[in-house]
Amino acid sequence: MRHILSILVENEPGVLARVAGLFSGRGYNIESLNVAPTLTEGLSMMTITTIGDEAIIEQIVKQLRKLVTTLKVVDLTDVKAVEREMMLLRVDAEGSKRAEVLRIVDIFRCKVVDVSPDELVLEVTGTQDKLTALVSLLQRYGIKEVARTGSVAMRRGMQE
Amino acid sequence: MELTGAQILLESLRREGVEVVFGFPGGAVIDIYDQLPNYPLRHVLVRHEQGAIHAADGYARATGKVGVCLVTSGPGATNTVTGIATAYMDSVPVVIITGQVPTPLIGNDAFQEVDIVGITRSCTKHNYLVKEVGDLARVIKEAFYLASTGRPGPVLIDLPKDVQTRLTEYKYPKTIKMRSYNPTYAPNPKQVAKVAEVVRRAKKPIIYAGGGVIASEASEELAWLARSFDIPVTATLMALGCFPADDPRWLGMLGMHGTYAANMAISNADLILAIGSRFDDRVTGKISEFAKNAKIVHIDIDPTSIQKNVPVHIPVVADCKSFLTALRQTLEPTLAEQPAAGHEAWNAKVAAWKEEKPLSYNQEGAVIKPQYVVETISRLTKGEAIITTEVGQNQMWAAQFYAFTRPRSFISSGGLGTMGFGFPAAIGAQMAYPDRLVIDVAGDGSIQMCIQELATAVCYKLPVKIVILNNGYLGMVRQWQELFYKKNYCATCLDVAPDFVKLAEAYGAAGFRVTDPAKVESVLAEAFALPCPVIVDVVVDREENVAPMVPAGKSITEMILV
């Protein structure tokens, strides 16, 4: 099963290598990884999506907590959480295709961030499912390039 | 007061109570060595950096204090990697200081540059590259704190040459608090109550002790539990000595080369108290067959050890000593009303297993049996020597046939299985205890992996005794080839070996050779009485096997007994 882990770490050199090395050294998978500084100086938040059964996820969480540079690990799969990912797409939009692509842009609430005679660069935010749906829809027009951030996630304020 | 980085390092080591540093100099640490004579530290100059790290490790295991190792950059640093991994696998507190090229050169492929922090990231508890001299004092404080607390382990500090010469105001932190590191020592009282309950109720309990009992100095508390509730005790290789071998409750080691009684008892128990052990594959054998009917209680200071290999019914994250103390406080008040929970039938069964198939060998004929050598060492030293081992058959025979009486007297590379460990580790232990008898039980293969340290032992007048069980083979691999590879003895016969007696003499140590079973005892006694390093080359039965043996991947009840 897919899990989203939110990991609060010391923002110091080598931390990413420690986390990534833990996954590779113990044979775990990283599906996506995102890291950026938090509001507290000296701390960074990592969001990792990974796949594994309960026993593997338990080990991953424990091993991450064991790293001396880790302050906190939360498995957001266990709580109510919002998840978002951002994607940039370079889509073929020549001639008659253009209007159709722009209609999809509308439906998916994408933003057109760059325009040229034969292609568009789109920006879109959403869950992984939404982005995947958009990619499959646009594929018929020709996607030239994709850049995705990987998921970021946050627990909801109201938990049951 | 302003000090240089090198002075800060040495002054901080002094303040951490370090007495001995095992090291080998080089270009990137000359500044530290330049200051070394000004500080009250004994430095042991080894002959290879691997010797330094193993000696620091042996020192730490023998004393419980942090071992310290100092080497130069590049090859000096990489030569310690095997030893660092050895200490990491066995949770030994060691601080390794490596020199590094000057900061402006880092990343330039400079002479003797290697990214040792990157290389050792997965085999240290933590590591540091110190780029600012202002950080150095804090880093050293943290390194010693991390190495010795929680689940202990090696911590490496990489110190660039220019940081060693830069000046800064020196202030050593008195205390330390790290927001991201807070090991759990005290057990959750609810969990302790649950354990107390199952201990009271168990009909067929067993204690399965691991290295955590030694690390937390919990032998006395363990013995109280075993004796008060009449529970048989088995232990891993790492925990030998945590419970006296002459106690009737002692079953010996369990696992691949464990005793019949220990393996049968753990497989038939209804309650397993796993204390500071980690269900290693060499202990459990085929995991799906392991202790299927037992309730498992697992105490470990490292949460990652729990539920890693086997499902656990009552997990307790705690230091073994804190847990056993809390358990005693819970159980002791009602002990009088509730005497030792009726384990007579179980203990009779365990005793029958012990009687049925004890560890055995047959010392008849003109060839020396290796087991007889170890048993003789055990008898001569009354189980009170510090025994180190190499890895392989010598290690297993030492574990099986030496009757350990106290903790920290068996020093062996359990997790990593590092050949060449035993002799330098013995040097480290002897540095800590100059008056105790320290014996390395070695094989003719392993001893050649760090033999150069004979010069160190002679130089520092360390009367370490090396007993080589010489069978002319890499014996454990040969045993596997015999049993599982149709006797295809590929690359395991050591056709050419040095004359170990002459070799000892060449280094300035003493050497003996024994080939006659009748002379084993007298020669060992003579060797042990000498005040200098000694090699005793005992020519043993070439194809003797370690038994029992559980073939890899089989259930631990499926033992090959002869």
Side-chain angles (χ1 to χ4, degrees):
Chain A
M1 193 187 149
R2 181 169 169 270
H3 286 247
I4 306 172
L5 306 177
S6 182
I7 308 154
L8 189 64
V9 294
E10 297 282 358
N11 183 3
E12 57 182 52
V15 171
L16 181 60
R18 285 181 207 283
V19 172
L22 190 158
F23 276 79
S24 63
R26 294 186 181 268
Y28 308 140
N29 294 310
I30 295 182
E31 201 179 59
S32 74
L33 184 152
N34 186 293
V35 53
T38 63
L39 289 179
T40 315
E41 202 173 325
L43 293 182
S44 286
M45 182 68 82
M46 281 189 191
T47 310
I48 292 182
T49 56
T50 182
I51 291 175
D53 61 26
E54 287 308 308
I56 288 177
I57 298 297
E58 183 182 337
Q59 264 301 307
I60 291 176
V61 169
K62 284 175 169 177
Q63 293 285 356
L64 284 168
R65 286 187 181 136
K66 187 173 163 180
L67 292 176
V68 167
T69 40
T70 304
L71 278 83
K72 194 175 173 189
V73 182
V74 178
D75 185 348
L76 289 170
T77 321
D78 299 341
V79 296
K80 288 202 173 297
V82 283
E83 177 196 351
R84 289 292 180 273
E85 179 172 355
M86 194 184 93
M87 172 168 69
L88 295 175
L89 285 153
R90 187 188 304 283
V91 190
D92 205 336
E94 240 188 324
S96 61
K97 287 183 190 173
R98 202 169 192 94
E100 288 181 47
V101 170
L102 284 170
R103 205 167 308 137
I104 294 171
V105 163
D106 242 15
I107 296 166
F108 276 80
R109 297 194 183 89
C110 307
K111 255 200 267 177
V112 178
V113 289
D114 185 58
V115 184
S116 56
D118 51 2
E119 60 183 33
L120 299 171
V121 175
L122 311 179
E123 174 197 315
V124 59
T125 310
T127 61
Q128 210 183 29
D129 287 351
K130 173 179 167 180
L131 303 195
T132 308
L134 179 65
V135 167
S136 61
L137 261 177
L138 288 175
Q139 228 141 26
R140 74 183 68 174
Y141 305 103
I143 297 174
K144 293 177 172 173
E145 209 181 338
V146 174
R148 299 174 70 152
T149 59
S151 290
V152 291
M154 196 173 275
R155 66 191 291 279
R156 287 183 186 275
M158 303 272 281
Q159 298 285 327
E160 270 154 24
Chain B
M1 186 179 35
E2 285 219 320
L3 296 180
T4 66
Q7 290 169 325
I8 289 172
L9 170 70
L10 294 165
E11 176 59 24
S12 305
L13 292 184
R14 186 186 73 74
R15 294 197 188 192
E16 285 296 330
V18 175
E19 290 166 357
V20 189
V21 175
F22 301 90
F24 197 98
V29 286
I30 299 184
D31 293 284
I32 298 170
Y33 275 88
D34 189 47
Q35 291 292 329
L36 193 61
N38 304 330
Y39 291 83
L41 296 163
R42 283 184 294 162
H43 178 263
V44 176
L45 173 64
V46 296
R47 296 300 185 265
H48 186 298
E49 289 91 349
Q50 185 173 359
I53 179 71
H54 287 330
D57 179 323
Y59 177 91
R61 292 188 205 221
T63 59
K65 295 192 237 172
V66 179
V68 179
C69 162
L70 169 63
V71 297
T72 192
S73 64
T78 53
N79 276 341
T80 64
V81 172
T82 301
I84 294 172
T86 305
Y88 185 63
M89 285 289 269
D90 290 345
S91 310
V92 180
V94 184
V95 169
I96 305 99
I97 296 135
T98 54
Q100 182 54 282
V101 301
T103 46
L105 291 183
I106 290 178
N108 283 13
D109 300 326
F111 177 65
Q112 291 195 328
E113 179 188 358
V114 76
D115 173 17
I116 196 64
V117 167
I119 288 172
T120 59
R121 205 170 274 132
S122 62
C123 63
T124 51
K125 183 168 172 182
H126 198 56
N127 58 17
Y128 296 90
L129 168 63
V130 183
K131 284 186 167 169
E132 303 291 338
V133 70
D135 294 337
L136 183 55
R138 174 188 55 84
V139 165
I140 297 167
K141 185 80 190 171
E142 282 185 9
F144 275 82
Y145 175 63
L146 288 171
S148 57
T149 57
R151 179 176 180 174
V155 179
L156 182 139
I157 303 171
D158 199 21
L159 202 50
K161 191 172 166 71
D162 55 332
V163 177
Q164 296 166 28
T165 52
R166 235 174 276 152
L167 277 165
T168 194
E169 191 63 30
Y170 177 64
K171 212 175 145 201
Y172 199 60
K174 279 204 181 65
T175 54
I176 191 158
K177 194 159 167 46
M178 294 172 75
R179 60 182 172 183
S180 57
Y181 174 79
N182 299 293
T184 307
Y185 277 79
N188 181 328
K190 281 185 195 157
Q191 297 300 90
V192 176
K194 281 189 204 166
V195 178
E197 196 47 39
V198 295
V199 167
R200 284 193 191 107
R201 288 194 181 172
K203 294 286 170 240
K204 300 189 286 180
I206 184 171
I207 292 172
Y208 150 45
V213 175
I214 307 266
S216 70
E217 313 272 357
S219 298
E220 247 177 69
E221 291 77 5
L222 183 93
W224 177 86
L225 179 65
R227 286 171 185 154
S228 303
F229 285 83
D230 212 11
I231 305 174
V233 180
T234 182
T236 66
L237 186 78
M238 293 306 301
L240 294 178
C242 78
F243 191 73
D246 57 5
D247 190 296
R249 295 167 195 84
W250 175 242
L251 301 178
M253 182 172 75
L254 82 167
M256 181 175 272
H257 293 294
T259 63
Y260 179 76
N263 285 352
M264 292 307 284
I266 201 153
S267 300
N268 288 282
D270 66 354
L271 174 66
I272 296 173
L273 296 164
I275 307 176
S277 47
R278 59 185 177 92
F279 297 91
D280 177 79
D281 55 280
R282 284 294 191 266
V283 161
T284 60
K286 190 178 181 183
I287 205 89
S288 57
E289 298 289 316
F290 179 75
K292 283 197 287 200
N293 303 315
K295 197 175 264 286
I296 296 179
V297 172
H298 191 180
I299 296 92
D300 205 297
I301 198 161
D302 178 359
T304 68
S305 288
I306 297 174
Q307 311 270 32
K308 185 168 66 179
N309 299 333
V310 297
V312 171
H313 302 90
I314 309 181
V316 187
V317 176
D319 163 75
C320 294
K321 188 177 185 133
S322 310
F323 166 78
L324 285 167
T325 307
L327 185 67
R328 179 173 181 166
Q329 282 162 0
T330 313
L331 289 169
E332 206 163 24
T334 57
L335 199 58
E337 306 132 46
Q338 204 178 8
H343 301 151
E344 294 79 8
W346 168 239
N347 282 324
K349 201 167 190 183
V350 171
W353 283 320
K354 274 168 90 169
E355 192 133 325
E356 196 181 331
K357 281 158 188 166
L359 292 172
S360 65
Y361 63 93
N362 191 355
Q363 181 58 70
E364 284 170 6
V367 186
I368 301 172
K369 293 287 183 183
Q371 300 93 327
Y372 172 68
V373 180
V374 175
E375 230 172 42
T376 307
I377 296 171
S378 184
R379 195 171 57 246
L380 287 171
T381 60
K382 300 184 182 68
E384 287 172 355
I386 294 176
I387 302 294
T388 72
T389 77
E390 304 297 334
V391 166
Q393 289 182 318
N394 60 81
Q395 179 184 33
M396 290 300 116
W397 284 319
Q400 291 177 331
F401 289 93
Y402 193 91
F404 295 94
T405 57
R406 49 171 141 171
R408 301 199 181 279
S409 61
F410 181 65
I411 295 174
S412 187
S413 168
L416 198 67
T418 307
M419 290 170 71
F421 169 80
F423 178 39
I427 287 176
Q430 190 82 75
M431 273 305 287
Y433 297 109
D435 300 327
R436 283 185 69 181
L437 186 56
V438 181
I439 303 166
D440 173 31
V441 176
D444 50 307
S446 287
I447 193 60
Q448 295 186 63
M449 284 205 180
C450 273
I451 192 74
Q452 75 287 343
E453 301 307 331
L454 265 176
T456 311
V458 170
C459 175
Y460 293 89
K461 299 189 170 54
L462 298 168
V464 172
K465 310 296 183 272
I466 301 168
V467 179
I468 301 175
L469 305 175
N470 188 343
N471 55 14
Y473 276 117
L474 299 172
M476 187 58 95
V477 184
R478 187 209 58 75
Q479 177 171 339
W480 281 57
Q481 289 171 330
E482 177 189 333
L483 296 172
F484 314 118
Y485 293 86
K486 300 183 182 138
K487 297 199 179 185
N488 179 15
Y489 295 164
C490 179
T492 41
C493 182
L494 299 177
D495 293 315
V496 176
D499 179 329
F500 288 109
V501 175
K502 283 190 190 156
L503 184 77
E505 286 163 358
Y507 273 104
F512 296 87
R513 178 170 296 110
V514 201
T515 52
D516 177 0
K519 300 244 171 74
V520 168
E521 183 163 342
S522 59
V523 172
L524 286 175
E526 188 183 345
F528 294 166
L530 287 178
C532 64
V534 183
I535 289 183
V536 185
D537 180 20
V538 189
V539 180
V540 299
D541 191 345
R542 293 207 68 193
E543 301 203 356
E544 183 70 12
N545 284 343
V546 177
M549 177 171 195
V550 177
K554 292 279 170 109
S555 155
I556 57 167
T557 53
E558 296 178 60
M559 289 165 269
I560 301 169
L561 285 161
V562 184

